[in-house]
Amino acid sequence: MSSRLPHALLLLALSLCPAAEAPAFEGLLKRKPPPPPVEQAGEALPVMRIQNFTGSSGELALKNLVEEIRRSRAFELLPSGADFPAGRPGFEIGGESVGGRVSCKLRDKSGKLLFERTYAAPGLDENLQALADDLIYTITGKPGIATSRIVFVSNKSGSKQIYLCNADGGNVQQITRHRHGAVNPTLSPDASLLAFTSYRSGFPEVVLMDLGGGMERLVTDTPGANFGAAFAPDGRHLALVMSFLGNPEVFVTDLNTNAAGCLTESIGVPCSPAWSPVGTRLVFSSNEGRGQQLYVMDFGSDKSTGGVERLPVGYSFATDPAWSPDGMQIAFTARSRATLLVAVKDYPDGATRVIQRGASHPSWSPNGRYLIYVQKGDLYRHDLSTDTRRLLIGNFGEISEPRWMN
């Protein structure tokens, strides 16, 4: 396989190509994705001391916040009034909650104020989830997962449709109701947009949905099959597979202008593109005559050759790649002796290890600690640090293609 368009030419093409005649979402795509996490040194968990919360809903807020922090496994909790252990980073939070509204102050153990914030969403749980994620990001430099969302496909309604849920599997909502089904979901970095493959015209086409208002539009009106979209980290570009040139190829399209540039020149059928965290590489699956394998295109890193290279993973069948948030690992679905499995490859030259046999469709949590995947039609979350897992959603039709917002 060869690359069709070097990175510099791709950017030029996206800036100069005329936009296709398709309606655009005004203002939506001007939103900036959240900043990348800041790496901080240190192995031991920071210590968090939570003081009592005052106000009419303060007792409930304190109880639920403690539960959120325990679920995050980001801190070691101390009871109110307990002394901080020597030599460990320590933090204290206190505040009030009235009618679900939450106000709080975070200080380090020396008393220095780190932030003072108020959360005024309609629900107490929503405010506490946002607070928990802010605490984790401020102290550890890594994103929390309490406010993150997961999209997946299920046939529970009788046809394959897309659903959205919280990181713990709760609050499941049906998002699409397309007569002929909807698959291949992907969320934008700020979870405001959903891209997916629809068959409402009889052919696969990529649709963009505003999750706030429910508006939909086609990403491209080109003929042929269009499928397998993946949001770039900037939230402005999509990688997808289009076949209007003849053979299906991987393209990148600018959602503001609808201009698209072709990245590959293959003899197989590429699918499942996934971006590296900084947007300088794409990994995808393709059958180039040697079975379904993973390929990486590097078009923007300091080691870029502008070409496409096969990524050896130790299996003759590999698909559904997903890059870890730190860019150091790639999870994928493999097949061994007619059995699917989820594996993780240390990128670029490290070992491959099996995470779960009989599973497929892996996707990373925003903090890189968890993988979600499907096994026997149910959705699981796997803690990579403890090698334990829990069922998120079961008995919900046949679930497939989960994607965690990154």
Side-chain angles (χ1 to χ4, degrees):
M1 179 186 295
S2 62
S3 62
R4 182 184 293 266
L5 197 61
H7 181 55
L9 294 181
L10 171 64
L11 294 179
L12 180 63
L14 291 178
S15 64
L16 297 181
C17 285
E21 295 182 2
F25 293 129
E26 293 186 4
L28 279 177
L29 300 175
K30 296 179 181 178
R31 302 175 185 171
K32 293 182 179 180
V38 179
E39 293 297 331
Q40 295 187 3
E43 293 292 333
L45 289 178
V47 177
M48 174 68 70
R49 185 170 67 193
I50 303 181
Q51 302 287 37
N52 291 332
F53 274 58
T54 62
S56 59
S57 53
E59 185 176 349
L60 179 60
L62 175 62
K63 174 179 176 293
N64 291 356
L65 179 60
V66 168
E67 291 177 355
E68 284 288 350
I69 291 177
R70 281 179 176 159
R71 278 197 294 266
S72 75
R73 301 184 181 182
F75 307 109
E76 178 183 327
L77 287 177
L78 287 180
S80 177
D83 293 332
F84 289 107
R88 298 273 301 279
F91 304 86
E92 180 178 84
I93 187 169
E96 67 172 0
S97 177
V98 177
R101 183 186 178 102
V102 176
S103 298
C104 64
K105 294 181 180 180
L106 173 67
R107 301 179 185 273
D108 64 19
K109 65 180 181 181
S110 70
K112 178 183 178 181
L113 182 67
L114 300 181
F115 74 59
E116 181 175 3
R117 296 179 184 173
T118 296
Y119 301 84
L124 175 62
D125 287 345
E126 187 177 354
N127 290 324
L128 293 176
Q129 288 171 356
L131 170 57
D133 280 359
D134 284 351
L135 291 174
I136 292 169
Y137 190 86
T138 299
I139 294 171
T140 71
K142 297 180 180 180
I145 65 172
T147 58
S148 64
R149 297 294 181 262
I150 297 169
V151 288
F152 61 91
V153 174
S154 173
N155 63 359
K156 180 178 173 60
S157 67
S159 63
K160 288 188 175 183
Q161 302 293 339
I162 296 170
Y163 295 78
L164 180 73
C165 71
N166 294 344
D168 61 1
N171 192 28
V172 177
Q173 305 171 53
Q174 183 173 344
I175 302 301
T176 63
R177 289 174 171 81
H178 285 217
R179 180 179 178 184
H180 298 291
V183 295
N184 302 144
T186 179
L187 282 169
S188 63
D190 64 358
S192 66
L193 298 173
L194 171 73
F196 60 93
T197 302
S198 171
Y199 291 86
R200 61 187 176 186
S201 68
F203 297 94
E205 54 190 12
V206 175
V207 176
L208 192 66
M209 174 189 285
D210 169 21
L211 289 176
M215 292 174 55
E216 295 183 7
R217 74 163 173 91
L218 292 179
V219 170
T220 176
D221 58 1
T222 56
N226 306 302
F227 57 92
F231 273 99
D234 65 5
R236 175 184 170 183
H237 296 92
L238 274 182
L240 72 161
V241 178
M242 296 194 288
S243 67
F244 73 94
L245 293 178
N247 195 68
E249 303 290 355
V250 178
F251 285 74
V252 171
T253 183
D254 186 317
L255 294 176
N256 282 348
T257 65
N258 294 326
C262 184
L263 294 182
T264 60
E265 191 168 14
S266 62
I267 60 174
V269 179
C271 62
S272 307
W275 295 85
S276 66
V278 294
T280 58
R281 296 182 176 97
L282 270 174
V283 59
F284 58 93
S285 177
S286 185
N287 186 342
E288 298 291 307
R290 293 180 290 183
Q292 204 74 19
Q293 294 286 296
L294 299 187
Y295 295 84
V296 174
M297 181 173 189
D298 185 339
F299 48 79
S301 77
D302 55 3
K303 298 180 181 180
S304 174
T305 63
V308 177
E309 296 184 356
R310 188 172 72 88
L311 180 67
V313 295
Y315 293 91
S316 59
F317 177 93
T319 189
D320 298 329
W323 228 302
S324 63
D326 63 3
M328 302 298 291
Q329 300 175 91
I330 294 176
F332 60 96
T333 300
R335 187 168 60 208
S336 176
R337 297 180 180 178
T339 299
L340 294 179
L341 57 87
V342 167
V344 170
K345 158 84 171 177
D346 291 337
Y347 182 81
D349 300 319
T352 298
R353 66 188 187 279
V354 175
I355 303 300
Q356 183 64 46
R357 297 186 182 276
S360 61
H361 299 297
S363 182
W364 295 89
S365 64
N367 60 8
R369 176 169 182 154
Y370 303 96
L371 278 176
I372 53 172
Y373 52 72
V374 171
Q375 186 171 31
K376 295 181 178 179
D378 295 333
L379 180 63
Y380 287 85
R381 187 175 77 189
H382 198 117
D383 188 332
L384 298 177
S385 65
T386 62
D387 197 27
T388 58
R389 66 175 190 162
R390 58 166 292 200
L391 176 67
L392 290 186
I393 302 176
N395 299 317
F396 199 81
E398 185 175 352
I399 294 174
S400 63
E401 300 182 283
R403 291 291 179 265
W404 209 325
M405 130 193 180
N406 281 314

